[in-house]
Amino acid sequence: MPTPRGDKRARIIDAATRLILTQGVHATSISDIIAESGASAGSIYHHFAGKNHIVLSVARAKVQEPLRERLAVQREGGLSPSELFRMIAETLLAGTVEPALIVQLWAGSSGEPELKVLLREHMDDMRVRAVAAVERWLAARGASEAAEQAASLAT
């Protein structure tokens, strides 16, 4: 029975994640991902435009989505900066997001301008959500210029 399409894609992402964690972004090649995932080159390129898109998919699946899910559980009045920081720290400490993966993705993007732009564009969503949560918290406490204050905390 053939592997469902989503399972193959997920298997490639999982394999790339393991390789990035152990070897880093730069040392991980498409050949390594093929060997680790058991997927063919055709399958890899069917699902991804290239290595940078695989790395971006790893960042989305293993960092952005778990953090987004965690931030989705918010109180009506938003989150204070300390509550926001605590939620992110708890997510890292629980192993839901691998801190070493964040470091490897960041390090890998430092020497790869296209990857840096891709990661920044897609991960900016987390900053926007965090600023919005703090802005709601400030507004609920009657802070004037809550949006500007929240934005300044994020910079």
Side-chain angles (χ1 to χ4, degrees):
M1 177 181 206
T3 304
R5 187 172 173 202
D7 289 348
K8 201 173 274 190
R9 188 176 197 287
R11 194 171 71 228
I12 294 165
I13 291 170
D14 288 344
T17 302
R18 288 189 299 276
L19 290 166
I20 290 167
L21 277 167
T22 58
Q23 299 177 182
V25 171
H26 294 297
T28 299
S29 68
I30 293 289
S31 297
D32 294 334
I33 296 169
I34 290 168
E36 181 75 16
S37 68
S40 67
S43 182
I44 297 271
Y45 288 108
H46 172 75
H47 292 286
F48 306 96
K51 181 179 163 186
N52 283 347
H53 287 95
I54 295 171
V55 174
L56 177 60
S57 295
V58 167
R60 278 188 196 137
K62 305 299 182 177
V63 178
Q64 184 182 24
E65 289 173 11
L67 286 172
R68 181 183 291 152
E69 286 175 17
R70 185 72 166 110
L71 288 175
V73 182
Q74 295 184 21
R75 294 190 333 261
E76 188 174 312
L79 295 169
S80 71
S82 63
E83 290 169 323
L84 180 64
F85 182 76
R86 186 177 310 111
M87 286 178 81
I88 292 169
E90 287 170 353
T91 303
L92 295 171
L93 291 171
T96 308
V97 172
E98 183 72 45
L101 182 60
I102 295 170
V103 172
Q104 290 289 14
L105 291 168
W106 174 76
S109 71
S110 67
E112 181 67 40
E114 179 189 352
L115 180 58
K116 187 175 192 172
V117 168
L118 285 171
L119 286 172
R120 180 163 285 157
E121 286 174 357
H122 290 281
M123 300 303 279
D124 194 47
D125 173 64
M126 298 312 304
R127 186 190 61 75
V128 169
R129 288 173 184 268
V131 169
V134 172
E135 180 182 344
R136 283 193 305 277
W137 180 78
L138 289 167
R141 279 148 189 78
S144 63
E145 302 176 358
E148 292 81 7
Q149 289 182 32
S152 72
L153 288 173
T155 56

